[in-house]
CSV table of all heavy atoms in Angstrom, one decimal:
chain,number,residue,atom,x,y,z
C,1,MET,N,4.6,0.1,28.4
C,1,MET,CA,3.9,0.1,27.1
C,1,MET,C,4.9,-0.3,26.0
C,1,MET,O,6.0,0.2,26.0
C,1,MET,CB,3.4,1.5,26.8
C,1,MET,CG,2.7,1.6,25.4
C,1,MET,SD,2.5,3.3,24.9
C,1,MET,CE,1.0,3.7,25.7
C,2,VAL,N,4.5,-1.3,25.2
C,2,VAL,CA,5.4,-1.7,24.1
C,2,VAL,C,5.0,-1.0,22.9
C,2,VAL,O,3.9,-0.9,22.5
C,2,VAL,CB,5.1,-3.2,23.9
C,2,VAL,CG1,6.0,-3.7,22.7
C,2,VAL,CG2,5.5,-4.0,25.1
C,3,GLN,N,6.0,-0.4,22.3
C,3,GLN,CA,5.8,0.3,21.0
C,3,GLN,C,6.6,-0.4,19.9
C,3,GLN,O,7.8,-0.7,20.1
C,3,GLN,CB,6.4,1.8,21.2
C,3,GLN,CG,5.3,2.7,21.7
C,3,GLN,CD,5.7,4.1,21.6
C,3,GLN,OE1,6.9,4.5,21.8
C,3,GLN,NE2,4.8,5.0,21.1
C,4,LYS,N,5.9,-0.6,18.8
C,4,LYS,CA,6.6,-1.2,17.7
C,4,LYS,C,7.6,-0.2,17.2
C,4,LYS,O,7.4,1.0,17.2
C,4,LYS,CB,5.6,-1.5,16.6
C,4,LYS,CG,5.0,-2.9,16.8
C,4,LYS,CD,4.3,-3.4,15.6
C,4,LYS,CE,2.9,-2.8,15.4
C,4,LYS,NZ,2.2,-3.4,14.3
C,5,LYS,N,8.7,-0.7,16.7
C,5,LYS,CA,9.7,0.2,16.1
C,5,LYS,C,9.1,0.9,14.9
C,5,LYS,O,8.4,0.3,14.0
C,5,LYS,CB,10.9,-0.6,15.7
C,5,LYS,CG,12.0,0.3,15.1
C,5,LYS,CD,13.3,-0.5,15.1
C,5,LYS,CE,14.4,0.5,14.7
C,5,LYS,NZ,15.7,0.0,15.0
C,6,CYS,N,9.3,2.2,14.8
C,6,CYS,CA,8.8,3.0,13.7
C,6,CYS,C,10.0,3.6,13.0
C,6,CYS,O,10.8,4.3,13.6
C,6,CYS,CB,7.9,4.0,14.3
C,6,CYS,SG,6.5,4.5,13.2
C,7,VAL,N,10.0,3.3,11.7
C,7,VAL,CA,11.2,3.8,10.9
C,7,VAL,C,10.8,5.0,10.1
C,7,VAL,O,9.8,5.0,9.3
C,7,VAL,CB,11.6,2.7,9.9
C,7,VAL,CG1,12.8,3.1,9.2
C,7,VAL,CG2,11.9,1.4,10.7
C,8,PRO,N,11.4,6.1,10.3
C,8,PRO,CA,11.0,7.4,9.6
C,8,PRO,C,11.1,7.3,8.1
C,8,PRO,O,11.9,6.6,7.6
C,8,PRO,CB,12.0,8.4,10.2
C,8,PRO,CG,12.6,7.8,11.4
C,8,PRO,CD,12.6,6.3,11.2
C,9,TYR,N,10.3,8.1,7.4
C,9,TYR,CA,10.4,8.2,6.0
C,9,TYR,C,11.8,8.5,5.6
C,9,TYR,O,12.5,9.3,6.2
C,9,TYR,CB,9.5,9.4,5.5
C,9,TYR,CG,8.0,9.2,5.7
C,9,TYR,CD1,7.2,10.3,5.5
C,9,TYR,CD2,7.5,8.0,6.0
C,9,TYR,CE1,5.9,10.2,5.7
C,9,TYR,CE2,6.1,7.9,6.2
C,9,TYR,CZ,5.3,9.0,6.1
C,9,TYR,OH,3.9,8.9,6.2
C,10,GLY,N,12.3,7.9,4.5
C,10,GLY,CA,13.6,8.2,4.0
C,10,GLY,C,14.7,7.4,4.6
C,10,GLY,O,15.8,7.5,4.2
C,11,SER,N,14.3,6.6,5.6
C,11,SER,CA,15.4,5.8,6.2
C,11,SER,C,15.9,4.7,5.2
C,11,SER,O,15.1,4.2,4.4
C,11,SER,CB,14.8,5.0,7.4
C,11,SER,OG,14.5,6.0,8.4
C,12,ASP,N,17.1,4.3,5.4
C,12,ASP,CA,17.7,3.2,4.6
C,12,ASP,C,17.2,1.9,5.1
C,12,ASP,O,17.3,1.7,6.3
C,12,ASP,CB,19.2,3.2,4.6
C,12,ASP,CG,19.8,4.4,3.9
C,12,ASP,OD1,19.1,5.0,3.1
C,12,ASP,OD2,20.9,4.8,4.2
C,13,VAL,N,16.6,1.1,4.2
C,13,VAL,CA,16.1,-0.2,4.7
C,13,VAL,C,16.4,-1.2,3.6
C,13,VAL,O,16.8,-0.9,2.5
C,13,VAL,CB,14.5,-0.1,4.8
C,13,VAL,CG1,14.2,0.8,6.0
C,13,VAL,CG2,13.9,0.4,3.6
C,14,SER,N,16.1,-2.5,4.0
C,14,SER,CA,16.2,-3.5,3.0
C,14,SER,C,14.8,-4.0,2.6
C,14,SER,O,13.8,-3.5,3.2
C,14,SER,CB,17.0,-4.7,3.6
C,14,SER,OG,16.4,-5.0,4.8
C,15,ALA,N,14.7,-4.9,1.6
C,15,ALA,CA,13.4,-5.3,1.1
C,15,ALA,C,12.6,-5.9,2.3
C,15,ALA,O,13.1,-6.6,3.1
C,15,ALA,CB,13.5,-6.3,0.0
C,16,GLY,N,11.3,-5.7,2.2
C,16,GLY,CA,10.4,-6.2,3.2
C,16,GLY,C,9.0,-5.6,3.1
C,16,GLY,O,8.7,-4.9,2.2
C,17,THR,N,8.2,-5.8,4.1
C,17,THR,CA,6.9,-5.3,4.1
C,17,THR,C,6.7,-4.3,5.3
C,17,THR,O,7.2,-4.6,6.4
C,17,THR,CB,5.8,-6.4,4.3
C,17,THR,OG1,6.0,-7.4,3.3
C,17,THR,CG2,4.4,-5.9,4.2
C,18,TYR,N,6.1,-3.2,5.0
C,18,TYR,CA,6.0,-2.1,6.0
C,18,TYR,C,4.6,-1.7,6.1
C,18,TYR,O,3.8,-1.8,5.2
C,18,TYR,CB,6.9,-0.9,5.6
C,18,TYR,CG,8.3,-1.4,5.4
C,18,TYR,CD1,8.8,-1.9,4.3
C,18,TYR,CD2,9.2,-1.2,6.5
C,18,TYR,CE1,10.1,-2.3,4.2
C,18,TYR,CE2,10.5,-1.6,6.4
C,18,TYR,CZ,11.0,-2.2,5.3
C,18,TYR,OH,12.3,-2.6,5.2
C,19,GLU,N,4.2,-1.1,7.2
C,19,GLU,CA,2.9,-0.6,7.5
C,19,GLU,C,3.0,0.8,8.0
C,19,GLU,O,3.7,1.1,8.9
C,19,GLU,CB,2.2,-1.5,8.5
C,19,GLU,CG,0.8,-1.1,8.8
C,19,GLU,CD,0.2,-2.0,9.8
C,19,GLU,OE1,0.6,-1.9,11.0
C,19,GLU,OE2,-0.7,-2.8,9.5
C,20,CYS,N,2.2,1.7,7.4
C,20,CYS,CA,2.2,3.1,7.8
C,20,CYS,C,1.9,3.2,9.3
C,20,CYS,O,0.9,2.6,9.7
C,20,CYS,CB,1.2,3.9,7.0
C,20,CYS,SG,1.1,5.6,7.5
C,21,GLY,N,2.7,3.9,10.0
C,21,GLY,CA,2.5,4.1,11.4
C,21,GLY,C,1.3,4.9,11.8
C,21,GLY,O,0.8,5.0,12.9
C,22,ASP,N,0.8,5.6,10.8
C,22,ASP,CA,-0.3,6.5,11.0
C,22,ASP,C,-1.7,6.0,10.5
C,22,ASP,O,-2.7,6.1,11.2
C,22,ASP,CB,0.0,7.9,10.4
C,22,ASP,CG,1.1,8.6,11.1
C,22,ASP,OD1,1.0,8.9,12.3
C,22,ASP,OD2,2.1,8.9,10.5
C,23,CYS,N,-1.7,5.5,9.3
C,23,CYS,CA,-2.9,5.0,8.7
C,23,CYS,C,-3.0,3.5,8.4
C,23,CYS,O,-4.0,3.0,8.1
C,23,CYS,CB,-3.2,5.8,7.4
C,23,CYS,SG,-2.3,5.2,6.0
C,24,GLY,N,-1.9,2.8,8.6
C,24,GLY,CA,-1.9,1.4,8.5
C,24,GLY,C,-1.8,0.9,7.0
C,24,GLY,O,-1.9,-0.3,6.8
C,25,HIS,N,-1.5,1.8,6.1
C,25,HIS,CA,-1.3,1.4,4.7
C,25,HIS,C,-0.1,0.5,4.6
C,25,HIS,O,0.9,0.7,5.2
C,25,HIS,CB,-1.1,2.7,3.9
C,25,HIS,CG,-0.7,2.4,2.5
C,25,HIS,ND1,-1.6,2.1,1.5
C,25,HIS,CD2,0.5,2.2,1.9
C,25,HIS,CE1,-1.0,1.8,0.3
C,25,HIS,NE2,0.3,1.9,0.5
C,26,LYS,N,-0.3,-0.7,3.9
C,26,LYS,CA,0.7,-1.6,3.8
C,26,LYS,C,1.5,-1.4,2.5
C,26,LYS,O,1.0,-1.1,1.5
C,26,LYS,CB,0.2,-3.0,3.8
C,26,LYS,CG,-0.3,-3.4,5.2
C,26,LYS,CD,-0.4,-4.9,5.3
C,26,LYS,CE,-0.7,-5.3,6.8
C,26,LYS,NZ,-2.0,-4.7,7.2
C,27,TYR,N,2.8,-1.5,2.7
C,27,TYR,CA,3.7,-1.2,1.6
C,27,TYR,C,4.8,-2.3,1.5
C,27,TYR,O,5.4,-2.6,2.5
C,27,TYR,CB,4.4,0.1,1.8
C,27,TYR,CG,5.6,0.4,1.0
C,27,TYR,CD1,5.4,0.6,-0.4
C,27,TYR,CD2,6.8,0.6,1.5
C,27,TYR,CE1,6.5,0.9,-1.2
C,27,TYR,CE2,7.9,0.8,0.7
C,27,TYR,CZ,7.8,1.0,-0.6
C,27,TYR,OH,8.9,1.2,-1.4
C,28,SER,N,4.9,-2.9,0.3
C,28,SER,CA,5.8,-3.9,0.1
C,28,SER,C,7.0,-3.4,-0.7
C,28,SER,O,6.9,-2.9,-1.8
C,28,SER,CB,5.2,-5.0,-0.8
C,28,SER,OG,5.5,-6.3,-0.3
C,29,ASN,N,8.1,-3.4,0.0
C,29,ASN,CA,9.3,-2.8,-0.6
C,29,ASN,C,10.2,-3.9,-1.2
C,29,ASN,O,10.7,-4.7,-0.5
C,29,ASN,CB,10.1,-2.0,0.5
C,29,ASN,CG,11.3,-1.4,0.0
C,29,ASN,OD1,11.7,-1.5,-1.2
C,29,ASN,ND2,12.0,-0.6,0.9
C,30,GLN,N,10.3,-3.9,-2.5
C,30,GLN,CA,11.0,-5.0,-3.2
C,30,GLN,C,12.4,-4.6,-3.5
C,30,GLN,O,13.3,-5.4,-3.5
C,30,GLN,CB,10.3,-5.4,-4.5
C,30,GLN,CG,8.9,-5.9,-4.3
C,30,GLN,CD,8.8,-7.1,-3.3
C,30,GLN,OE1,9.7,-7.8,-3.2
C,30,GLN,NE2,7.7,-7.2,-2.6
C,31,SER,N,12.7,-3.4,-3.8
C,31,SER,CA,14.0,-3.0,-4.3
C,31,SER,C,14.5,-1.7,-3.8
C,31,SER,O,15.7,-1.5,-3.9
C,31,SER,CB,13.9,-3.0,-5.9
C,31,SER,OG,13.0,-2.0,-6.3
C,32,LYS,N,13.6,-0.9,-3.4
C,32,LYS,CA,14.1,0.4,-2.9
C,32,LYS,C,15.0,0.3,-1.7
C,32,LYS,O,14.9,-0.6,-0.9
C,32,LYS,CB,12.9,1.3,-2.6
C,32,LYS,CG,12.2,1.7,-3.9
C,32,LYS,CD,11.6,3.1,-3.7
C,32,LYS,CE,10.9,3.6,-5.0
C,32,LYS,NZ,9.6,3.0,-5.2
C,33,THR,N,15.9,1.2,-1.5
C,33,THR,CA,16.8,1.2,-0.4
C,33,THR,C,16.4,2.3,0.6
C,33,THR,O,17.0,2.4,1.7
C,33,THR,CB,18.2,1.4,-0.8
C,33,THR,OG1,18.3,2.6,-1.6
C,33,THR,CG2,18.6,0.2,-1.7
C,34,SER,N,15.4,3.1,0.3
C,34,SER,CA,15.0,4.0,1.3
C,34,SER,C,13.5,4.1,1.3
C,34,SER,O,12.8,3.9,0.2
C,34,SER,CB,15.6,5.4,1.1
C,34,SER,OG,15.1,6.0,-0.1
C,35,LEU,N,12.9,4.4,2.4
C,35,LEU,CA,11.4,4.4,2.5
C,35,LEU,C,10.8,5.7,2.0
C,35,LEU,O,11.2,6.8,2.4
C,35,LEU,CB,11.0,4.2,4.0
C,35,LEU,CG,11.3,2.8,4.5
C,35,LEU,CD1,11.1,2.9,6.0
C,35,LEU,CD2,10.3,1.8,3.9
C,36,PRO,N,9.8,5.6,1.1
C,36,PRO,CA,9.1,6.8,0.6
C,36,PRO,C,8.0,7.2,1.7
C,36,PRO,O,7.8,6.5,2.6
C,36,PRO,CB,8.3,6.2,-0.6
C,36,PRO,CG,8.0,4.8,-0.2
C,36,PRO,CD,9.2,4.3,0.6
C,37,PRO,N,7.5,8.4,1.5
C,37,PRO,CA,6.4,8.8,2.4
C,37,PRO,C,5.2,7.9,2.0
C,37,PRO,O,5.1,7.4,1.0
C,37,PRO,CB,6.1,10.3,2.0
C,37,PRO,CG,7.3,10.7,1.2
C,37,PRO,CD,7.9,9.5,0.6
C,38,CYS,N,4.3,7.8,3.0
C,38,CYS,CA,3.0,7.1,2.7
C,38,CYS,C,2.3,7.7,1.6
C,38,CYS,O,2.2,9.0,1.5
C,38,CYS,CB,2.2,7.1,4.0
C,38,CYS,SG,0.6,6.4,3.8
C,39,PRO,N,1.7,6.9,0.7
C,39,PRO,CA,0.9,7.5,-0.4
C,39,PRO,C,-0.3,8.2,0.1
C,39,PRO,O,-0.9,9.0,-0.7
C,39,PRO,CB,0.5,6.3,-1.3
C,39,PRO,CG,0.8,5.1,-0.4
C,39,PRO,CD,1.8,5.5,0.6
C,40,ASN,N,-0.8,7.9,1.3
C,40,ASN,CA,-2.0,8.6,1.8
C,40,ASN,C,-1.6,9.8,2.7
C,40,ASN,O,-2.4,10.3,3.4
C,40,ASN,CB,-2.8,7.6,2.7
C,40,ASN,CG,-3.2,6.4,1.8
C,40,ASN,OD1,-3.6,6.5,0.7
C,40,ASN,ND2,-3.2,5.2,2.5
C,41,HIS,N,-0.3,10.1,2.6
C,41,HIS,CA,0.2,11.1,3.6
C,41,HIS,C,-0.6,12.4,3.6
C,41,HIS,O,-0.8,13.0,2.5
C,41,HIS,CB,1.6,11.4,3.3
C,41,HIS,CG,2.2,12.4,4.3
C,41,HIS,ND1,2.2,13.8,4.1
C,41,HIS,CD2,2.7,12.2,5.5
C,41,HIS,CE1,2.7,14.4,5.1
C,41,HIS,NE2,3.1,13.5,6.0
C,42,LYS,N,-1.1,12.8,4.7
C,42,LYS,CA,-1.6,14.2,4.9
C,42,LYS,C,-1.1,14.6,6.3
C,42,LYS,O,-1.0,13.9,7.2
C,42,LYS,CB,-3.1,14.2,5.0
C,42,LYS,CG,-3.8,13.9,3.7
C,42,LYS,CD,-5.3,14.3,3.9
C,42,LYS,CE,-6.1,13.9,2.6
C,42,LYS,NZ,-6.9,12.7,2.8
C,43,SER,N,-0.7,15.9,6.4
C,43,SER,CA,-0.1,16.3,7.6
C,43,SER,C,-1.1,16.3,8.7
C,43,SER,O,-0.7,16.2,9.9
C,43,SER,CB,0.5,17.7,7.4
C,43,SER,OG,-0.5,18.6,7.0
C,44,SER,N,-2.4,16.3,8.4
C,44,SER,CA,-3.4,16.3,9.5
C,44,SER,C,-3.6,15.0,10.1
C,44,SER,O,-3.9,14.8,11.2
C,44,SER,CB,-4.8,16.8,8.9
C,44,SER,OG,-5.2,16.0,7.9
C,45,THR,N,-3.4,13.9,9.3
C,45,THR,CA,-3.6,12.6,9.8
C,45,THR,C,-2.3,11.9,10.0
C,45,THR,O,-2.3,10.8,10.7
C,45,THR,CB,-4.4,11.7,8.8
C,45,THR,OG1,-3.8,11.8,7.5
C,45,THR,CG2,-5.8,12.3,8.6
C,46,HIS,N,-1.2,12.3,9.5
C,46,HIS,CA,0.1,11.7,9.6
C,46,HIS,C,1.0,12.5,10.5
C,46,HIS,O,1.5,13.5,10.0
C,46,HIS,CB,0.7,11.4,8.3
C,46,HIS,CG,0.0,10.3,7.5
C,46,HIS,ND1,-1.3,10.3,7.2
C,46,HIS,CD2,0.4,9.0,7.2
C,46,HIS,CE1,-1.7,9.2,6.6
C,46,HIS,NE2,-0.6,8.4,6.6
C,47,THR,N,1.1,12.1,11.7
C,47,THR,CA,1.9,12.8,12.6
C,47,THR,C,3.3,12.1,13.0
C,47,THR,O,4.2,12.7,13.4
C,47,THR,CB,1.2,13.1,13.9
C,47,THR,OG1,0.7,11.8,14.5
C,47,THR,CG2,0.0,14.0,13.7
C,48,LYS,N,3.2,10.8,12.8
C,48,LYS,CA,4.5,10.1,13.1
C,48,LYS,C,5.4,10.0,11.9
C,48,LYS,O,6.6,10.0,12.1
C,48,LYS,CB,4.1,8.6,13.5
C,48,LYS,CG,3.3,8.6,14.8
C,48,LYS,CD,3.1,7.1,15.1
C,48,LYS,CE,1.8,7.0,16.0
C,48,LYS,NZ,1.1,5.7,15.7
C,49,ASN,N,4.8,10.0,10.7
C,49,ASN,CA,5.6,10.0,9.5
C,49,ASN,C,6.7,8.8,9.5
C,49,ASN,O,7.9,9.1,9.3
C,49,ASN,CB,6.3,11.3,9.3
C,49,ASN,CG,5.3,12.4,9.1
C,49,ASN,OD1,4.2,12.2,8.6
C,49,ASN,ND2,5.6,13.6,9.6
C,50,CYS,N,6.2,7.6,9.8
C,50,CYS,CA,7.1,6.5,9.9
C,50,CYS,C,6.4,5.2,9.4
C,50,CYS,O,5.2,5.2,9.3
C,50,CYS,CB,7.7,6.4,11.3
C,50,CYS,SG,6.4,6.1,12.5
C,51,TRP,N,7.2,4.2,9.3
C,51,TRP,CA,6.7,2.9,8.9
C,51,TRP,C,7.0,1.9,9.9
C,51,TRP,O,8.2,1.9,10.4
C,51,TRP,CB,7.3,2.5,7.5
C,51,TRP,CG,7.0,3.3,6.4
C,51,TRP,CD1,7.7,4.3,5.9
C,51,TRP,CD2,5.9,3.2,5.5
C,51,TRP,NE1,7.1,4.9,4.8
C,51,TRP,CE2,6.0,4.2,4.5
C,51,TRP,CE3,4.8,2.3,5.4
C,51,TRP,CZ2,5.1,4.3,3.5
C,51,TRP,CZ3,3.8,2.4,4.4
C,51,TRP,CH2,4.0,3.4,3.4
C,52,HIS,N,6.1,1.0,10.2
C,52,HIS,CA,6.4,-0.2,11.0
C,52,HIS,C,6.9,-1.3,10.2
C,52,HIS,O,6.4,-1.5,9.1
C,52,HIS,CB,5.1,-0.7,11.7
C,52,HIS,CG,4.6,0.2,12.8
C,52,HIS,ND1,5.4,0.7,13.8
C,52,HIS,CD2,3.4,0.8,12.9
C,52,HIS,CE1,4.6,1.5,14.6
C,52,HIS,NE2,3.4,1.6,14.1
C,53,ILE,N,7.9,-2.0,10.6
C,53,ILE,CA,8.4,-3.1,9.9
C,53,ILE,C,7.6,-4.3,10.2
C,53,ILE,O,7.5,-4.7,11.3
C,53,ILE,CB,9.9,-3.4,10.3
C,53,ILE,CG1,10.7,-2.2,9.9
C,53,ILE,CG2,10.4,-4.7,9.6
C,53,ILE,CD1,12.2,-2.3,10.4
C,54,LEU,N,7.0,-4.9,9.1
C,54,LEU,CA,6.2,-6.1,9.3
C,54,LEU,C,7.0,-7.4,9.1
C,54,LEU,O,6.9,-8.4,9.7
C,54,LEU,CB,4.9,-6.1,8.4
C,54,LEU,CG,3.9,-5.0,8.7
C,54,LEU,CD1,2.7,-5.2,7.8
C,54,LEU,CD2,3.5,-5.0,10.1
C,55,SER,N,7.8,-7.3,8.0
C,55,SER,CA,8.7,-8.4,7.7
C,55,SER,C,9.9,-7.9,6.9
C,55,SER,O,9.9,-6.8,6.4
C,55,SER,CB,7.9,-9.5,6.9
C,55,SER,OG,7.7,-9.0,5.6
C,56,GLY,N,10.9,-8.7,6.8
C,56,GLY,CA,12.0,-8.3,6.0
C,56,GLY,C,13.3,-8.3,6.9
C,56,GLY,O,13.3,-8.9,7.9
C,57,GLN,N,14.2,-7.7,6.4
C,57,GLN,CA,15.5,-7.7,7.0
C,57,GLN,C,15.8,-6.5,7.9
C,57,GLN,O,17.0,-6.2,8.1
C,57,GLN,CB,16.6,-7.9,6.0
C,57,GLN,CG,16.4,-9.2,5.2
C,57,GLN,CD,17.5,-9.4,4.1
C,57,GLN,OE1,18.1,-8.4,3.8
C,57,GLN,NE2,17.6,-10.6,3.6
C,58,GLY,N,14.8,-5.8,8.2
C,58,GLY,CA,15.0,-4.7,9.2
C,58,GLY,C,15.4,-5.2,10.5
C,58,GLY,O,15.7,-6.4,10.6
C,59,ASP,N,15.3,-4.4,11.5
C,59,ASP,CA,15.7,-4.9,12.8
C,59,ASP,C,14.5,-5.6,13.4
C,59,ASP,O,13.9,-5.2,14.4
C,59,ASP,CB,16.0,-3.7,13.7
C,59,ASP,CG,17.2,-3.0,13.1
C,59,ASP,OD1,18.1,-3.6,12.5
C,59,ASP,OD2,17.3,-1.8,13.3
C,60,ALA,N,14.1,-6.7,12.8
C,60,ALA,CA,13.0,-7.5,13.2
C,60,ALA,C,13.2,-8.1,14.6
C,60,ALA,O,14.3,-8.6,14.8
C,60,ALA,CB,12.6,-8.6,12.2
C,61,PRO,N,12.2,-8.0,15.4
C,61,PRO,CA,12.3,-8.6,16.8
C,61,PRO,C,12.3,-10.2,16.7
C,61,PRO,O,12.8,-10.8,17.6
C,61,PRO,CB,11.2,-8.1,17.5
C,61,PRO,CG,10.1,-7.8,16.5
C,61,PRO,CD,10.9,-7.4,15.2
C,62,GLN,N,11.8,-10.7,15.6
C,62,GLN,CA,11.7,-12.2,15.5
C,62,GLN,C,13.1,-12.7,15.2
C,62,GLN,O,14.0,-12.0,15.0
C,62,GLN,CB,10.8,-12.6,14.3
C,62,GLN,CG,9.4,-12.1,14.5
C,62,GLN,CD,9.1,-10.8,13.8
C,62,GLN,OE1,10.1,-10.1,13.5
C,62,GLN,NE2,7.9,-10.5,13.5
C,63,ASP,N,13.2,-14.0,15.2
C,63,ASP,CA,14.4,-14.7,15.0
C,63,ASP,C,15.0,-14.3,13.6
C,63,ASP,O,14.4,-14.6,12.6
C,63,ASP,CB,14.2,-16.2,15.0
C,63,ASP,CG,15.5,-17.0,14.9
C,63,ASP,OD1,16.6,-16.4,14.7
C,63,ASP,OD2,15.5,-18.2,14.9
C,64,PRO,N,16.1,-13.7,13.6
C,64,PRO,CA,16.7,-13.2,12.3
C,64,PRO,C,17.3,-14.4,11.5
C,64,PRO,O,17.6,-14.2,10.3
C,64,PRO,CB,17.7,-12.2,12.7
C,64,PRO,CG,18.2,-12.6,14.0
C,64,PRO,CD,17.0,-13.2,14.7
C,65,TYR,N,17.4,-15.5,12.1
C,65,TYR,CA,18.0,-16.7,11.4
C,65,TYR,C,17.1,-17.9,11.5
C,65,TYR,O,17.4,-18.8,12.3
C,65,TYR,CB,19.4,-17.0,12.0
C,65,TYR,CG,20.3,-15.9,12.0
C,65,TYR,CD1,20.7,-15.2,13.2
C,65,TYR,CD2,20.9,-15.4,10.8
C,65,TYR,CE1,21.5,-14.1,13.1
C,65,TYR,CE2,21.8,-14.4,10.8
C,65,TYR,CZ,22.1,-13.7,11.9
C,65,TYR,OH,22.9,-12.6,11.9
C,66,PRO,N,16.0,-17.9,10.7
C,66,PRO,CA,15.0,-18.9,10.9
C,66,PRO,C,15.5,-20.3,10.5
C,66,PRO,O,14.9,-21.3,10.8
C,66,PRO,CB,13.9,-18.5,9.9
C,66,PRO,CG,14.5,-17.6,9.0
C,66,PRO,CD,15.7,-16.9,9.7
C,67,ASN,N,16.6,-20.4,9.8
C,67,ASN,CA,17.1,-21.7,9.4
C,67,ASN,C,18.1,-22.3,10.4
C,67,ASN,O,18.6,-23.4,10.1
C,67,ASN,CB,17.8,-21.6,8.0
C,67,ASN,CG,16.9,-21.2,6.9
C,67,ASN,OD1,15.7,-21.6,7.0
C,67,ASN,ND2,17.3,-20.3,6.0
C,68,ARG,N,18.3,-21.6,11.5
C,68,ARG,CA,19.2,-22.2,12.4
C,68,ARG,C,18.5,-23.0,13.5
C,68,ARG,O,17.4,-22.5,13.9
C,68,ARG,CB,20.1,-21.1,13.1
C,68,ARG,CG,21.1,-20.7,12.2
C,68,ARG,CD,22.1,-19.8,12.9
C,68,ARG,NE,23.0,-19.2,11.9
C,68,ARG,CZ,23.8,-18.2,12.2
C,68,ARG,NH1,23.9,-17.7,13.4
C,68,ARG,NH2,24.6,-17.6,11.2
F,1,ZN,ZN1,-0.3,6.5,6.0
């Protein structure tokens, strides 16, 4: 089973786009250096408490050097 990397709330990250691992809420991080909790966070629906990296300079599985 392939699991997308899930980055816990509060992790240090760089700018990029993230998606809530629990509800799918998309979050565009332009300047913050750590991830906030999901704005829709509820303990009943949010059990992973993490964000999937959609784009940006996280540990993206895609080619990190598109210009090469
Ligand atoms: Zn959420």
Side-chain angles (χ1 to χ4, degrees):
M1 178 195 276
V2 177
Q3 274 192 314
K4 277 197 275 187
K5 182 162 186 167
C6 209
V7 184
Y9 297 166
S11 293
D12 290 338
V13 292
S14 49
T17 305
Y18 301 86
E19 182 183 69
C20 177
D22 293 299
C23 75
H25 174 83
K26 289 202 174 58
Y27 166 66
S28 222
N29 183 356
Q30 301 301 332
S31 59
K32 291 213 174 75
T33 55
S34 66
L35 288 167
C38 175
N40 301 323
H41 182 270
K42 286 195 189 105
S43 58
S44 59
T45 56
H46 287 62
T47 55
K48 297 181 202 147
N49 299 329
C50 63
W51 295 94
H52 291 305
I53 298 173
L54 297 183
S55 69
Q57 299 176 344
D59 300 326
Q62 299 94 340
D63 184 358
Y65 304 107
N67 295 326
R68 283 191 192 170

